[in-house]
Amino acid sequence: MASVIGRRNKAGEIVSYQVKWRAGGKRTGDWQTERFTDEVSAEVFKDAVDEAGQNWPPGWVKGKGYVDPEAADKSSYRFENWARRSIANRTAGDYYKRQRLRSLEMYIFPTFGHCDIRSTEHFSKATVGAWINTMRQTKVRRGGGKPKDMSPETLRGLHKLLSSVLKEAVVAEPPLRNRNPCDLTRLPKDDDHGIGDADGDDQMEFMTPNEVAGLVACFPRASDRMLVRAAYGTGLRWGEITALATRHVRSPVRDKYEVRVPRAWKRRTPSDFYLGPPKTRSSRRTVEITAGLWRELQEFGLAEAEKDELVFCGQDGERTKYATFWERWNRAVAKAKKQGLLPEWKFPTFHDLRHSHVAVLLSDGHSLTYVQRRLGHESIKTTSDRYGHLLETAHTAALLTLDRVMGITSPVSAQSAETDRGAEGRRAVYVAHVGLRQLGFWQAEHAEELAERWARERGGAVRVERMSADWWIRSMCGQVGSDNGLKAVREELPGRAFVWSVGPALYDVDGTECTRNPGAHQPAGRWVWEFEEDYTDEPSHSVTEWRPGREALTEARAWGLDQEAVQAAYAVARADAVRTCGFHSERGVGEKQTVS
């Protein structure tokens, strides 16, 4: 590599800068030098020498510079030069940039490094396809293991990196290319090479709940057991769960427990970590957890811990190092296999706890949308591509739905009705969790239809789960053996109506209107379910009431099925508000003055 050396005078002051390198970058190559009066010019020339493979840059004459003014411009379009600038200008961490440059240097520059990024001959469907075929035959060594053919997953990552660099040439101003040839190439399928007994590094390993429980029991440390159970119960990534502080595990309201994921461990260098934002914008999320996991975490020490303490940390109270935990993980896996708690053919990693978490959710009928948001995936396509094959139960449910709408009674449907009965002959209850509200249904399709409509009209996912009738009775504060809890279970979808609403208009105690929403006086319509507060079957309703608080405001609003009737009721409510606002029960509190 070329270097810049400051040249000093007798007084020790730098008066010029010399760029020095060996011709061709060889140890036996002759030393080459060029002198500059300023450091910036020397650095620019040094980069040009590096780009030319430790040779004089094309068009450069020693002591004179570029004889051909276009030569410098031409060198900037060399793919290696363009790609290095592309990576340097990306808004990503230093570790990400180093990893991408390493991939470019190892697998892409040897083929395309000296090509002109503008050339349709250098970069075409044929040349990119030939590079893909070369990469498929490339041997890759992982750790100290035996070299293997490059996996399809690794090749997809390299192809994506090449495509991202070429795309910048397409969208440059002015454009340097008309199209990206990577869009025209086909990547090999995952099974093109086949797979051996020892292969499968890119495959997900799913563990059953019993296998996870057996694995947990094989960890001698209580902290490791809690970490594994928490990872399985939340689906969080390693960098996310080890970045959790006590304040991130909370219970905002009674019987609701959750984990906030506002940060994760990021890496600048292999040994330098810092706390930063999670992997994607969607990864910054809130994950609900069970009451059982909440109790375990409290007993683990969260109840007494300071709010900024890490939930899972090393012996020094700092970040849990994956390398040391990985050794304990492997020992636990080996022990679980020896005791028959885990099949010999499974080789799970810590990340497979996340995959196993998804498998449980999908096998129990939860939607891909719910799983996507719980995992923090940016796109549902990611969730579908990775876990869509687990939706066998959803396929069965879809067939039952088709039978139902077509008026067909299938043997599967009849069998399902029998198996949906609980221990005391009661049928299972399908519970839709709409916010803090629980709605029970006897039919799964009713719960799923409510969830689908709610997500489509209001946004956000509705969780649907199959529970026992006894659980439902207890959750409704009923008594097992009686029927008072089951009366709330619905035989059909709740009713709903298209309701117009207008307001609220707000008035101070002196009659001055202080409505904060400029569009409050315009009627707006939406579908309202019968379990919601504004549901009605009347043409109009209105209300005028005093709001509690030191502001002593009076509110007027109206709603109903008939838009004109609602607007008329709203006008009456506003008049009533002006007439009664001076009598607010809390007038004169704080800075308010009594209105006479």
Side-chain angles (χ1 to χ4, degrees), residues 244-248 263 302 304-311:
L244 290 178
T246 302
R247 67 179 184 275
H248 299 142
R263 64 185 190 179
L302 261 66
E304 295 80 24
E306 297 292 333
K307 65 177 183 178
D308 291 328
E309 287 186 37
L310 290 175
V311 177

Side-chain angles (χ1 to χ4, degrees), residues 32-45:
Q32 308 292 319
T33 62
E34 183 67 296
R35 181 168 294 190
F36 296 87
T37 57
D38 64 284
E39 186 177 10
V40 174
S41 298
E43 289 289 348
V44 170
F45 181 76

Side-chain angles (χ1 to χ4, degrees), residues 531-579:
F531 54 80
E532 295 184 273
E533 182 180 358
D534 285 350
Y535 177 82
T536 181
D537 56 1
E538 299 291 334
S540 66
H541 292 275
S542 66
V543 63
T544 303
E545 57 186 358
W546 293 329
R547 281 191 173 183
R550 61 180 298 176
E551 290 184 306
L553 298 179
T554 302
E555 172 184 305
R557 65 187 185 94
W559 69 99
L561 304 182
D562 187 291
Q563 182 179 356
E564 293 184 359
V566 169
Q567 288 178 291
Y570 182 55
V572 173
R574 293 179 68 186
D576 288 343
V578 173
R579 178 172 52 82

Side-chain angles (χ1 to χ4, degrees), residues 217-508:
C218 293
F219 283 92
R221 296 188 182 187
S223 58
D224 288 344
R225 293 196 295 270
M226 189 70 256
L227 173 58
V228 173
R229 284 186 58 78
Y232 181 59
T234 60
L236 268 60
R237 305 176 178 95
W238 170 265
E240 295 171 343
I241 197 166
T242 55
L244 290 178
T246 302
R247 67 179 184 275
H248 299 142
V249 184
R250 61 188 189 180
S251 176
V253 295
R254 182 180 178 183
D255 297 332
K256 182 178 176 63
Y257 312 101
E258 61 189 26
V259 173
R260 288 183 59 243
V261 188
R263 64 185 190 179
W265 286 108
K266 316 290 284 188
R267 181 162 52 180
R268 292 190 184 94
T269 67
S271 59
D272 184 13
F273 288 79
Y274 67 98
L275 287 170
K279 188 175 182 180
T280 65
R281 182 179 300 177
S282 298
S283 295
R284 188 174 297 179
R285 64 200 186 278
T286 298
V287 178
E288 292 185 18
I289 60 175
T290 65
L293 181 55
W294 166 266
R295 286 193 299 271
E296 287 186 45
L297 288 168
Q298 296 303 302
E299 295 169 359
F300 176 64
L302 261 66
E304 295 80 24
E306 297 292 333
K307 65 177 183 178
D308 291 328
E309 287 186 37
L310 290 175
V311 177
F312 302 105
C313 59
Q315 294 181 352
D316 56 358
E318 299 298 324
R319 178 182 64 88
T320 302
K321 297 179 180 178
Y322 186 76
T324 55
F325 175 81
W326 177 241
E327 295 176 0
R328 301 197 296 272
W329 172 274
N330 285 334
R331 288 197 294 269
V333 169
K335 183 177 180 181
K337 290 183 178 182
K338 185 176 181 179
Q339 295 181 2
L341 303 173
L342 191 67
E344 282 291 335
W345 49 268
K346 285 191 177 182
F347 298 88
T349 65
F350 182 86
H351 197 70
D352 287 323
L353 293 170
R354 179 173 166 90
H355 300 322
S356 302
H357 174 84
V358 175
V360 170
L361 295 176
L362 293 181
S363 64
D364 206 36
H366 297 281
S367 68
L368 275 176
T369 301
Y370 173 72
V371 172
Q372 173 207 353
R373 293 173 181 172
R374 188 171 177 88
L375 294 187
H377 286 162
E378 193 75 14
S379 168
I380 196 171
K381 185 177 185 299
T382 303
T383 315
S384 178
D385 289 347
R386 292 184 183 177
Y387 304 113
H389 65 285
L390 299 176
L391 289 175
E392 293 183 4
T393 54
H395 300 331
T396 302
L399 294 176
L400 294 176
T401 300
L402 290 173
D403 278 352
R404 176 175 55 82
V405 298
M406 296 175 65
I408 301 173
T409 301
S410 66
V412 178
S413 301
Q415 181 181 0
S416 176
E418 291 297 324
T419 57
D420 275 352
R421 296 189 174 273
E424 298 181 9
R426 300 188 184 93
R427 290 150 55 187
V429 178
Y430 296 89
V431 183
H433 297 267
V434 183
L436 300 179
R437 187 184 291 108
Q438 294 179 346
L439 302 175
F441 298 89
W442 291 123
Q443 300 297 328
E445 55 265 28
H446 292 156
E448 293 289 351
E449 186 172 350
L450 170 67
E452 181 183 350
R453 288 188 182 183
W454 185 277
R456 184 173 63 247
E457 296 171 1
R458 304 290 181 85
V462 174
R463 179 162 54 96
V464 176
E465 56 185 346
R466 181 178 179 272
M467 307 300 295
S468 69
D470 289 347
W471 177 92
W472 174 261
I473 292 172
R474 286 190 293 268
S475 70
M476 299 298 291
C477 300
Q479 296 179 356
V480 177
S482 66
D483 191 43
N484 53 355
L486 297 178
K487 291 178 180 178
V489 182
R490 301 170 185 268
E491 295 282 358
E492 57 187 14
L493 271 176
R496 64 179 193 156
F498 193 81
V499 177
W500 293 94
S501 61
V502 59
L506 301 177
Y507 296 89
D508 209 335

